[in-house]
């Protein structure tokens, strides 16, 4: 699209910016000013992601008896197991519930990042709608034959 020579045709605002920058260079102008709105938008996206990476997210299982906390990358920071869960669950059930709590916390990270992307990234800027990242993940997992433990 970018090399088509046709200004903005089916390319959306990003391709139009590139075309404007080419024109500015051809006329001896400064293309930096042309890219300033795009750079500001990208800075906003980076700031939002950095902010979300520094947060902590939690998820629970076994009626709230098990609570896992992960960072913005989805790495486990802590897990709390209530007395009732330790008393009433066998090792296999407890292990599965802990895994579910961690997965729930990691899903919170994914959902937060997805909402940031929806707020900040307008799919029309790139000419074609962006696919849903969760749909890509689900399709990849199904294609690989991976099944979540139950």
């Amino acid at each position: 699209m970018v090399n088509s020579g046709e200004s903005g045709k089916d390319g959306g605002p990003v391709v139009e910016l590139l075309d404007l920058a080419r024109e500015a260079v051809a006329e001896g102008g400064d293309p930096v000013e042309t890219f300033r709105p795009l750079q500001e938008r990208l800075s906003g996206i980076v700031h939002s992601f950095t902010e979300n990476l520094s947060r902590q997210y939690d998820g629970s299982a076994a009626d709230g008896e098990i609570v896992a906390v992960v960072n913005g990358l989805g790495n486990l920071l802590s897990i709390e197991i209530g007395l009732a869960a330790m008393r009433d669950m066998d090792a296999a059930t407890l292990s599965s519930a802990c895994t579910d709590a961690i997965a729930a916390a990691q899903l919170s990270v994914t959902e937060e990042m997805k909402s940031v992307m929806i707020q900040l990234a307008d799919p029309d800027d790139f000419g074609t709608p962006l696919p849903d990242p969760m749909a890509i993940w689900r399709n990849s997992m199904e294609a690989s034959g991976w099944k979540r433990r139950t």
Side-chain angles (χ1 to χ4, degrees), residues 12-108:
V14 172
V15 173
E16 289 176 20
L17 277 173
L18 291 171
D19 289 340
L20 288 172
R22 279 193 204 100
E23 290 172 15
V25 169
E27 296 170 3
D30 182 12
V32 173
E33 287 301 316
T34 305
F35 286 109
R36 191 167 311 283
L38 181 60
Q39 192 274 333
E40 289 171 0
R41 184 147 182 207
L42 290 174
S43 292
I45 291 171
V46 168
H47 174 75
S48 294
F49 275 114
T50 303
E51 185 177 292
N52 285 330
L53 287 174
S54 65
R55 291 184 50 208
Q56 294 182 356
Y57 301 84
D58 61 23
S60 63
D63 298 325
E65 282 294 311
I66 300 173
V67 178
V69 178
V70 299
N71 64 14
L73 294 173
N75 298 325
L76 182 63
L77 298 175
S78 68
I79 189 160
E80 294 181 23
I81 303 172
L83 293 175
M86 286 192 282
R87 180 186 63 231
D88 298 339
M89 295 180 174
D90 62 25
T93 305
L94 183 61
S95 171
S96 179
C98 288
T99 302
D100 289 346
I102 295 168
Q106 291 170 334
L107 184 60
S108 295

